[in-house]
Amino acid sequence: MKTKALALAKDLSARSTIKIKVGAVIFNKREIISWGWNNPGGGYGEHAESMAITRINTRSIQHQTLPTFIAVYSTRKGKPITSRPCRDCERFIRSYRIHGAVYLRKEELDG
């Protein structure tokens, strides 16, 4: 499911109209739960991770019995880049009992 979630996050990042394009997918080992991409959102900007989280049915995520993760895929000028969730998004992720983030690491880009 991790590979499928990262592939969907990559596709979603293309929807962004911002220089650094980010897609995020919330998933567990059985299913995709929610998704989002970064956007200008009323002038303040909305991060892909927060969009994915706000689209969740909160009851379903809080009653998950399986570990839940968020996959994040980022590009700059059409090329993949490493991109951890920012500090605010990390707090938001933890507050919804999401167990961790999956994102591209430097060694994956070099290979």
Side-chain angles (χ1 to χ4, degrees):
M1 185 57 72
K2 172 184 164 183
T3 304
K4 189 176 185 179
L6 268 173
L8 179 55
K10 178 181 180 181
D11 290 346
L12 289 166
S13 70
R15 294 182 181 190
S16 175
T17 58
I18 300 174
K19 282 184 184 180
I20 297 177
K21 300 176 181 302
V22 182
V25 175
I26 298 173
F27 68 100
N28 63 31
K29 73 178 188 177
R30 287 193 199 141
E31 64 185 335
I32 303 273
I33 298 168
S34 184
W35 57 89
W37 58 92
N38 63 335
N39 63 73
Y44 296 106
E46 181 176 22
H47 291 200
E49 301 91 335
S50 64
M51 181 185 201
I53 290 169
T54 56
R55 294 181 73 188
I56 296 174
N57 173 340
T58 53
R59 275 195 183 152
S60 70
I61 195 78
Q62 291 172 344
H63 292 89
Q64 281 286 332
T65 55
L66 299 170
T68 306
F69 298 90
I70 186 164
V72 181
Y73 186 92
S74 306
T75 63
R76 182 182 306 141
K77 296 181 182 176
K79 297 186 179 188
I81 59 172
T82 60
S83 180
R84 295 179 55 110
C86 72
R87 201 172 279 157
D88 289 339
C89 284
E90 281 183 349
R91 277 190 229 119
F92 201 33
I93 289 166
R94 280 193 303 274
S95 74
Y96 275 83
R97 298 182 183 160
I98 296 172
H99 293 84
V102 176
Y103 55 92
L104 292 178
R105 291 173 173 72
K106 184 165 178 19
E107 54 274 9
E108 292 173 301
L109 296 177
D110 295 337

